[in-house]
Amino acid sequence: MIDILAIESSCDETAAAVIREGRDILSNVVASQVELHRKYGGVFPEAASRQHIRDIAPTIRQAMEVAEREWDDLAAIAVVNGPGLAGSLLVGVNAAKALAAARGLPLLGVNHMEGHIYANWLACDGGPDTPPPFPLVCLIVSGGHTDLVVMHEHLRYERLGQTVDDAAGEAFDKVARLLDLGYPGGPAIQRAAAEGDPQAYAFPRALSVGPYDFSFSGLKTAVLRLVQDMRREQGQEVEAHGQSFADASLAPTGIELPVADIAASFQAALVDALVAKTVQAVEQFDAAEVLVAGGVAANQLLRETLAERSPKPVRFPPIRYCTDNAAMIGAAAYYQYLDGYRSDLDLDVVPNLSIV
Ligand code: KG4
Ligand code: ZN
């Protein structure tokens, strides 16, 4: 039995998990900082690293206790070394190195985005019990990334396209701020959209960038312009609050906005663009299945629309493994371990680490 302790601290969750054979979740502990960052309307990097340093040891201890594993039972210690916030990554990487050195265990550096993909290999209640078949088209949609890749075998990726500006999750977060819906924006937009009409506003889909690339800044700006026009109509001084998205989100509210309709129309446009390009890739590369990964994979409309339009079966991780966790890191680490990959104790953090 190969049991791996996995550690994740790339952004605003301190997480540790013990994963058996890349599949069975013996424990999965997540200490979320969402309340800490809510008052900043986004992740405040220095506060994040300081909170990681407080949470890392208790989180790891709890993961080992829940899994009922001793250090000698482990095959390796895996840790995310990028992409992410440097100060946040350092905390997990340092803890993993100290444990690997003290316990004489192999160390595995794992790419956070690869972890998101491998969340689809975790054994979870209600999920399919066969592993995903290759070749796979993977849509990776998180707060910092939007990538479309083909996977012909384990750990090998061919990038088809990516966002040329904002990531999908970032667009959700920024529009949520503009509509005063709070942080994190994705779940807030989804909730607001449930009461709205997705056809109320015809926002752009930006399908004209490269065949498999995405662009969300035009959509985001279209939402901004609509809100500014509504403010003007209601007698507010829009110019006084600036023209840029960042300035506009700080403008005083107090005007009547059809928030549900705007949220629903924005969400529909964004999902439409993601689904159109993914379906096109599935057809061109004759994929056996489609995998969706990252925080935005939790989005209900994306799940339903892709399942409906894809010519091949679509897999999503269960909602709780879509957002950041260490179980997914343990799944990816297992395949690295089998591949013979090992990191040295001089493993460094790489904030812009890429999977291709
Ligand atoms: O993968 P993740 O937890 O962290 C990163 O690696 O970035 O993704 C976080 C992103 C945030 O932008 C958040 O707003 C978005 O995922 N998100 C959602 C939903 N849940 C989380 N976006 C749309 N709909 C959701 N239900
Ligand atoms: Zn993530």
Side-chain angles (χ1 to χ4, degrees):
M1 288 292 183
I2 294 174
D3 292 343
I4 294 179
L5 168 68
I7 298 170
E8 146 73 38
S9 71
S10 64
C11 188
D12 60 343
E13 324 278 354
T14 318
V18 179
I19 302 301
R20 174 163 291 175
E21 303 281 308
R23 188 184 142 74
D24 296 318
I25 302 164
L26 304 189
S27 64
N28 179 46
V29 182
V30 182
S32 173
Q33 301 179 2
V34 70
E35 291 309 322
L36 170 70
H37 299 290
R38 205 184 290 284
K39 58 179 174 291
Y40 306 113
V43 180
F44 179 31
E46 191 182 321
S49 7
R50 296 183 77 139
Q51 194 58 39
H52 283 306
I53 209 90
R54 294 186 197 105
D55 288 338
I56 192 84
T59 302
I60 293 172
R61 195 175 309 124
Q62 197 185 339
M64 291 294 283
E65 280 170 12
V66 172
E68 297 181 353
R69 298 288 89 194
E70 300 298 332
W71 296 104
D72 288 345
D73 300 330
L74 298 177
I77 295 187
V79 64
V80 169
N81 70 317
L85 301 168
S88 288
L89 290 163
L90 280 168
V91 177
V93 168
N94 238 345
K97 283 187 186 187
L99 288 168
R103 303 290 172 174
L105 287 165
L107 177 70
L108 303 174
V110 178
N111 183 307
H112 177 84
M113 304 317 294
E114 201 159 21
H116 275 303
I117 294 175
Y118 273 87
N120 285 289
W121 270 263
L122 290 168
C124 304
D125 26 288
D129 45 17
T130 51
F134 297 108
L136 292 159
V137 160
C138 309
L139 173 67
I140 310 166
V141 271
S142 73
H145 290 76
T146 300
D147 293 297
L148 200 51
V149 304
V150 179
M151 236 178 128
H152 296 285
E153 53 178 322
H154 278 297
L155 308 173
R156 307 283 180 267
Y157 312 91
E158 178 190 345
R159 196 201 319 265
L160 305 178
Q162 59 193 317
T163 180
V164 298
D165 39 56
D166 291 338
E170 189 182 354
F172 268 106
D173 294 337
K174 286 180 176 169
V175 168
R177 259 185 97 183
L178 176 69
L179 299 178
D180 215 10
L181 289 173
Y183 163 86
I189 294 263
Q190 175 170 306
R191 269 192 306 276
E195 312 293 320
D197 173 7
Q199 287 170 344
Y201 304 99
F203 291 131
R205 263 62 173 167
L207 298 175
S208 60
V209 283
Y212 294 116
D213 287 333
F214 301 97
S215 167
F216 300 115
S217 74
L219 167 60
K220 188 185 71 177
T221 306
V223 179
L224 170 66
R225 297 281 173 253
L226 176 76
V227 169
Q228 285 179 328
D229 287 348
M230 288 175 171
R231 286 201 168 122
R232 263 189 216 101
E233 277 163 25
Q234 293 182 39
Q236 272 202 355
E237 274 287 323
V238 169
E239 274 68 23
H241 307 304
Q243 287 295 321
S244 83
F245 212 82
D247 293 344
S249 61
L250 301 174
T253 47
I255 61 157
E256 300 267 322
L257 282 181
V259 169
D261 283 350
I262 300 175
S265 303
F266 160 77
Q267 180 180 247
L270 189 143
V271 163
D272 225 29
L274 291 176
V275 170
K277 303 245 164 154
T278 307
V279 166
Q280 198 178 314
V282 175
E283 283 162 356
Q284 182 175 343
F285 291 88
D286 199 23
E289 278 195 15
V290 183
L291 298 191
V292 189
V296 182
N299 185 268
Q300 204 52 41
L301 184 69
L302 175 62
R303 295 169 89 96
E304 286 164 13
T305 313
L306 195 52
E308 208 175 280
R309 291 200 216 154
S310 168
K312 294 292 169 65
V314 185
R315 266 183 219 241
F316 294 87
I319 302 279
R320 68 182 179 290
Y321 299 113
C322 286
T323 46
D324 292 349
N325 65 85
M328 65 187 196
I329 306 306
Y334 171 72
Y335 291 95
Q336 291 188 357
Y337 183 88
L338 292 186
D339 216 29
Y341 170 87
R342 303 288 182 269
S343 300
D344 296 327
L345 282 180
D346 62 1
L347 177 72
D348 199 359
V349 301
V350 186
N352 61 354
L353 187 66
S354 161
I355 57 168
V356 285

